[in-house]
Amino acid sequence: MIYTVTLNPAVDKVLFLDEFLRSRTNRLTRTLETIGGKGTHVSINLRLMGVQSTALGISLGENGKKIEKMLADWDVQVKFLHYALPGMESRTNYQVVENSGHISTMLAERGPILPTSLTDDLLGQIQGCLSPGDMLVLTGDASNVEDTGIYSKLTRAARELGAKVFLDASGHYLKEGLKSSPFLIKPNFEELCFISGKDLKTDAEIVAAIQSLDGFNLPMIAMTWGGNGAIVKSDREFYRVKPIKVQAVNEGGCGDAFLAGIIAGLERGADIQETLKGAAAVAAAAAESESTVGFEPARAKELENMAVVIKL
Ligand code: TA6
């Protein structure tokens, strides 16, 4: 079974305009509202690939209920812990998409700080549902949890129950998470520079930075690089995933799609090259979508034929 965890889910407001002009009145050309957060997105992308998962997380107030409904509307199994606490609402994120050049900029709220009792409840729920061989996806912002070791704690608990942990976090939450040796981490380029403490430039420097993490015993490291594709370590082998050139409309959410593609490939037992081609295709199809989540499954299948993965 696959479980995704979203500690800080959001409602996404996507704001389209021609070009963002600072300290000026910007007239929006249109807007759309959709579900935000990363675990939620991995569950939705998996569902679009025909893979069911259970979405876990902490939702607050009316916005929280809205997020759970949106997830259920994507036919995802939702087992969020919902709380109605005074003045506490799940956050809203704002993504500005400039039609010229298809630049997307995320303005992410922090959201209310979660009392420890809520994350303890979630830990209890995770310990109650995981079995050996399950996959647990820990992904997204956790700055609403003051303990930067929260992902490390959840990873340790899940590994003790025989589950494989997929971690996509940033900053100190990621650095701490490494210490519990998740099965896979998916840093983007900036996050790899942060955890390796290096200003990386070349493929060779990126491979060396990934190798410098060997001490954490991470079987897989998938570094996504926006429109440059990805560099992936699986066991001791390295792969260069070439970007698939598409007409991007909104690149927000492509990392979540790539991660979902890897999990779907591993879940069906595909070999690593096929798995990475599938992930590249799903990420490219997601870039063609105007939203921060979702893609056309048939289009992703088509793009798989254009995917190039080189064993380094
Ligand atoms: O990856 C896209 C996205 O998930 C958006 O939906 C937006 O809500 C944001 O990223 C959330 O990321 P965060 O790191 O703040 O959890």
Side-chain angles (χ1 to χ4, degrees):
M1 188 58 191
I2 302 171
Y3 296 88
T4 64
V5 174
T6 313
L7 284 167
N8 204 355
V11 169
D12 276 356
K13 298 227 190 243
V14 186
L15 315 172
F16 295 88
L17 42 71
D18 290 331
E19 191 185 354
F20 181 67
L21 303 170
R22 297 172 72 155
S23 55
R24 301 271 295 280
T25 299
N26 290 259
R27 305 267 173 223
L28 300 176
T29 52
R30 60 198 163 86
T31 65
L32 73 82
E33 186 176 271
T34 184
I35 188 168
K38 294 190 179 324
T40 51
H41 285 189
V42 171
S43 274
I44 291 167
N45 289 317
L46 284 170
R47 196 72 195 92
L48 288 169
M49 288 182 264
V51 179
Q52 186 55 282
S53 65
T54 299
L56 308 177
I58 293 174
S59 65
L60 305 165
E62 289 314 307
N63 232 21
K65 284 206 184 115
K66 186 188 225 179
I67 290 165
E68 291 188 45
K69 174 154 184 340
M70 287 199 266
L71 256 180
D73 291 347
W74 282 93
D75 191 26
V76 167
Q77 207 172 38
V78 184
K79 287 206 175 137
F80 268 57
L81 299 176
H82 183 267
Y83 301 87
L85 300 168
M88 292 180 82
E89 285 286 335
S90 292
R91 66 181 171 154
T92 298
N93 287 342
Y94 303 86
Q95 191 199 32
V96 178
V97 177
E98 298 176 59
N99 301 329
S100 58
H102 306 299
I103 302 160
S104 66
T105 309
M106 180 60 68
L107 308 172
E109 286 185 341
R110 183 177 186 183
I113 302 300
L114 301 179
T116 314
S117 58
L118 274 57
T119 48
D120 289 347
D121 290 350
L122 180 68
L123 174 61
Q125 183 191 32
I126 290 171
Q127 288 169 322
C129 66
L130 284 182
S131 315
D134 284 347
M135 297 183 187
L136 182 75
V137 186
L138 302 173
T139 175
D141 174 60
S143 64
N144 60 336
V145 178
E146 285 175 326
D147 172 7
T148 57
I150 184 69
Y151 279 141
S152 191
K153 194 169 159 187
L154 296 176
T155 300
R156 240 186 344 270
R159 293 193 60 209
E160 279 158 17
L161 292 160
K164 266 189 182 159
V165 176
F166 296 73
L167 177 62
D168 178 5
S170 49
H172 292 289
Y173 295 85
L174 173 58
K175 250 190 178 165
E176 289 288 319
L178 296 175
K179 298 174 183 165
S180 299
S181 303
F183 172 79
L184 172 146
I185 62 166
K186 191 202 75 60
N188 60 27
F189 174 74
E190 291 76 23
E191 287 154 357
L192 183 65
C193 291
F194 175 77
I195 55 177
S196 65
K198 296 207 170 69
D199 183 14
L200 307 168
K201 291 189 181 50
T202 66
D203 285 25
E205 287 173 0
I206 289 166
V207 168
I210 291 175
Q211 284 168 327
S212 74
L213 302 174
D214 280 354
F216 293 107
N217 302 318
L218 313 167
M220 267 188 94
I221 297 177
M223 187 214 76
T224 48
W225 207 358
N228 295 323
I231 294 181
V232 176
K233 181 202 93 162
S234 178
D235 295 329
R236 309 204 69 73
E237 307 291 352
F238 281 82
Y239 302 87
R240 183 70 174 86
V241 183
K242 292 290 185 183
I244 302 175
K245 293 292 174 211
V246 294
Q247 189 58 45
V249 176
N250 184 346
E251 291 176 345
C254 293
D256 309 329
F258 190 86
L259 179 56
I262 289 180
I263 293 166
L266 296 176
E267 204 259 349
R268 70 172 185 274
D271 72 29
I272 187 65
Q273 299 237 10
E274 195 194 327
T275 294
L276 295 176
K277 284 183 179 173
V282 170
E288 294 180 325
S289 144
E290 66 173 5
S291 178
T292 54
V293 65
F295 61 91
E296 280 305 323
R299 175 63 175 155
K301 272 277 152 247
E302 213 179 280
L303 291 170
E304 230 169 283
N305 306 323
M306 297 158 64
V308 177
V309 174
I310 300 162
K311 189 171 177 202
L312 298 178

